[in-house]
Amino acid sequence: MTSAQLSDKKPVFVSRIPIRWGDMDAMGHVNNAVFFRYLEQARIEWYSHIGRGENAGLETVVVHCYCTYYAPLAYPGEIEIRTYAGSPGRSSFDIVQEIRRSDAPDIICAIGGSKVVWVDPKTGKSTPLPESIRKLMID
């Protein structure tokens, strides 16, 4: 991970997810598209952890996402996803996530991330980040 990717990010959550047999493709490793599911799962777990339900009626929308692959993953196993958040704007923030095998935590298998925008689902328009969410990234 480059220092630029984490220069204004704060570690906010660690998630562990089992690698499932069905996650693999014909090449015998986890399919590249499944990595996005892992990133999504960890992001949603973090949202639950920070009490996103307290801000009921507001949602986040992913406006950009990416994943760079460094090492394959294969069944059986478990992954650890380290989530970092920051760069809060008026209604958006960035998330960067590292995917590592739990049994080889020094090896980064992939780095992914997303830019999310806080929206009001009734209007479909962006809305300012709740102060409690902003504080998680700047304190």
Side-chain angles (χ1 to χ4, degrees):
M1 178 166 303
T2 67
S3 58
Q5 285 176 293
L6 290 179
S7 65
D8 62 347
K9 308 298 183 291
K10 180 179 171 185
V12 292
F13 194 70
V14 176
S15 180
R16 292 183 176 270
I17 300 171
I19 299 170
R20 300 169 304 182
W21 173 256
D23 292 345
M24 298 202 315
D25 60 19
M27 299 293 293
H29 54 72
V30 171
N31 183 276
N32 63 307
V34 173
F35 280 71
F36 283 96
R37 286 285 187 198
Y38 293 155
L39 297 172
E40 174 187 55
Q41 180 66 36
R43 186 174 68 246
I44 297 304
E45 287 179 15
W46 174 55
Y47 287 168
S48 293
H49 178 74
I50 62 175
R52 185 168 140 199
E54 295 170 12
N55 295 294
L58 300 175
E59 296 295 331
T60 55
V61 174
V62 174
V63 296
H64 174 77
C65 60
Y66 66 91
C67 187
T68 303
Y69 308 94
Y70 297 105
L73 293 171
Y75 176 88
E78 179 184 69
I79 58 171
E80 175 183 283
I81 300 179
R82 299 176 188 181
T83 300
Y84 304 83
S87 307
R90 183 190 75 82
S91 62
S92 68
F93 60 94
D94 293 329
I95 297 172
V96 175
Q97 296 170 289
E98 299 171 328
I99 298 177
R100 303 164 185 256
R101 280 189 67 100
S102 297
D103 59 358
D106 294 336
I107 299 170
I108 296 175
C109 298
I111 296 174
S114 54
K115 179 181 245 358
V116 296
V117 175
W118 211 270
V119 298
D120 179 338
K122 293 176 188 167
T123 65
K125 305 239 184 232
S126 66
T127 189
L129 291 173
E131 194 56 34
S132 61
I133 302 301
R134 180 181 300 284
K135 287 183 72 134
L136 291 171
M137 294 175 250
I138 58 175
D139 282 348

